[in-house]
Amino acid sequence: MPDRSDTPLTPVLLLGNEPGSFPHSVLAERHPAIIRQVRESFPYGPEQHRALDALLASCTEGVIEPLPADAHDRDRWTAWGADAFVGRSWFDVPWLWSESYFYRQLLEAVGHFTPGPWQGVDPFRPSKLAELDAPETDEELAALDTLADLPADEQNRALLHGSLWGNRADLGFRLSAAHDEGSSDTPPLVSDDSETLWSLLPPTGADGAGRATLCLIADNAGRELVPDLLLIAHLLDRDRVGRAVLHVKPYPYYVSDATHTDVLDALRRLTAAPGAAATYGHTLWSAMTDGRLTVRAHPFAAAPLPFAELPGDLREELASATLTVVKGDLNYRRLVGDRLWPPTTPFTDVTAHFPGPVAALRTLKSDVITGLDARTEAALVAAEGQKWRTGGTHALIQVRT
């Protein structure tokens, strides 16, 4: 693996072993809640219930257990560091690694990868579908009917911000804590490089359309994935990109992270909707059938590693993109490194490893943050203490060209 200590005085990786910290609350509270939710989502049999009970005991009181000897991806997880962490407390290994491995073990417990009736069944799909079918989704799709009447710049902003703030729909975030939408004296957007983003994707016109390639690394399914797809449809329709690649997870992950099945569910939701939403849906459907929009599920999408360790094939693919948009909190942590950076650490410095121009669209739901100016950080701390880092009421658009 590459040396992870290239940056001088790099802060230590986040762990979950500090009581009262956000990572500790995820491991101690959110993960047990997720296990309970999964138990109730399907009529699993005694074998799955025993395995879920064992995972709960392992997470709360035990140590990290190895994957079964015949697991199809055991060698991959060994390469990703499993030998170094098996037998240790979940709280004493890098938080990014322990979170990712938890979901891999959860799928093992319910038989997701094992031949049998539960193979391939997404344990989180009931929650994803419930959100996708919620009345709030109807309201958001109906709002598209008025979008065509807005000037082009306002349409761009509306769809970009829809993709950005759609991250509030993260099911895993809402599972163990109430979502506080309280007022604040500080601006919701703590960093805004949207002008730079748009400059990288100018409308090319009929004679030059098709030259730009957008890669969008998705985060959550449901009411976040829908506005991501709407943004892609808009960029294709307005000739700002000629080709888009949507990167999703290869299997269910972090409760609500998007898989290929979730893309198809969202696409069907759009095409079946009335009004402008269906037009967007048919644009996407057509783009998938003619190759302008492709869906990618690389194994590294579910790796417990930062993007600084991208494998060669994925690095080459992202290097060729005009712009890669990285969505959501987890992908931000993987992009900048899962460390407690000083908030004023330049975003351009910590993303210098990325193989091409990159934009982060992220609602703040964890402690990791970079790229703020000192005045913004001071205002946030004065108004909210440290709650601004994790409350989901602030967001950012950061770009490194």
Side-chain angles (χ1 to χ4, degrees):
M1 292 183 182
D3 181 8
R4 303 182 194 182
S5 59
D6 294 338
T7 305
L9 303 177
T10 301
V12 296
L13 286 166
L14 285 172
L15 305 178
N17 57 4
E18 182 181 345
S21 69
F22 187 71
H24 187 277
S25 71
V26 169
L27 298 177
E29 301 169 19
R30 185 184 300 180
H31 286 181
I34 289 169
I35 292 173
R36 289 191 290 271
Q37 180 208 40
V38 167
R39 283 180 65 102
E40 298 168 0
S41 295
F42 289 99
Y44 290 117
E47 180 181 355
Q48 287 76 34
H49 282 177
R50 285 192 295 269
L52 289 169
D53 290 341
L55 179 59
L56 179 61
S58 166
C59 290
T60 56
E61 303 170 1
V63 297
I64 296 170
E65 300 289 345
L67 290 173
D70 59 351
H72 74 283
D73 55 351
R74 184 179 173 116
D75 289 346
R76 182 179 297 150
W77 278 94
T78 297
W80 288 344
D83 285 352
F85 300 136
V86 164
R88 297 173 61 181
S89 167
W90 293 82
F91 295 87
D92 293 334
V93 305
W95 182 38
L96 176 62
W97 200 95
S98 61
E99 276 196 288
S100 298
Y101 193 69
F102 166 78
Y103 287 98
R104 175 60 186 85
Q105 288 285 39
L106 184 64
L107 295 182
E108 190 68 35
V110 297
H112 182 81
F113 297 113
T114 306
W118 296 109
Q119 186 174 26
V121 175
D122 182 348
F124 311 123
R125 194 155 187 250
S127 297
K128 293 176 179 178
L129 291 177
E131 182 184 277
L132 197 60
D133 293 336
E136 292 84 357
T137 306
D138 291 326
E139 295 170 6
E140 290 163 1
L141 295 182
L144 294 171
D145 292 339
T146 62
L147 197 61
D149 298 330
L150 298 177
D153 287 350
E154 291 187 31
Q155 291 184 39
N156 291 341
R157 184 181 185 278
L159 289 165
L160 180 64
H161 280 246
S163 178
L164 170 66
W165 288 105
N167 186 240
R168 293 192 189 198
D170 179 344
L171 296 169
F173 179 70
R174 295 195 319 216
L175 186 61
S176 62
H179 192 83
D180 183 3
E181 298 282 358
S183 62
S184 171
D185 294 330
T186 55
L189 208 57
V190 301
S191 182
D192 185 5
D193 294 338
S194 54
E195 288 189 12
T196 303
L197 186 154
W198 290 116
S199 73
L200 293 170
L201 301 173
T204 55
D207 57 343
R211 291 179 296 191
T213 296
L214 172 75
C215 288
L216 192 150
I217 300 178
D219 191 32
N220 295 306
R223 286 173 58 210
E224 177 179 357
L225 184 59
V226 166
D228 289 346
L229 291 171
L230 294 173
L231 177 62
I232 290 173
H234 177 73
L235 294 172
L236 288 168
D237 187 58
R238 299 306 171 91
D239 289 331
R240 284 184 175 268
V241 302
R243 179 172 178 264
V245 182
L246 179 64
H247 289 258
V248 297
K249 299 301 188 297
Y251 50 75
Y253 189 68
Y254 276 70
V255 179
S256 52
D257 279 27
T259 66
H260 190 251
T261 298
D262 298 319
V263 174
L264 299 179
D265 286 338
L267 187 56
R268 292 190 186 99
R269 181 72 167 85
L270 285 170
T271 56
T279 302
Y280 282 96
H282 291 302
T283 295
L284 292 162
W285 192 285
S286 175
M288 289 187 73
T289 59
D290 64 25
R292 288 176 295 135
L293 171 60
T294 58
V295 181
R296 185 100 150 86
H298 195 285
F300 188 79
L305 303 174
F307 290 156
E309 300 183 27
L310 287 168
D313 61 331
L314 192 52
R315 176 171 290 275
E316 181 179 354
E317 178 179 336
L318 297 177
S320 67
T322 307
L323 176 66
T324 297
V325 173
V326 173
K327 280 297 309 292
D329 199 78
L330 171 61
N331 285 326
Y332 187 87
R333 290 164 54 195
R334 297 184 72 189
L335 176 64
V336 306
D338 202 28
R339 301 173 184 273
L340 196 59
W341 300 101
T344 55
T345 303
F347 177 74
T348 53
D349 288 358
V350 294
T351 58
H353 62 83
F354 202 79
V358 62
L361 302 186
R362 177 228 183 174
T363 308
L364 277 59
K365 299 178 184 177
S366 70
D367 293 305
V368 179
I369 183 71
T370 69
L372 299 191
D373 63 61
R375 291 180 61 183
T376 298
E377 181 197 2
L380 289 164
V381 172
E384 304 178 40
Q386 294 302 316
K387 184 180 178 181
W388 63 272
R389 292 176 178 260
T390 60
T393 55
H394 296 285
L396 58 80
I397 301 171
Q398 293 176 331
V399 179
R400 195 221 73 206
T401 59

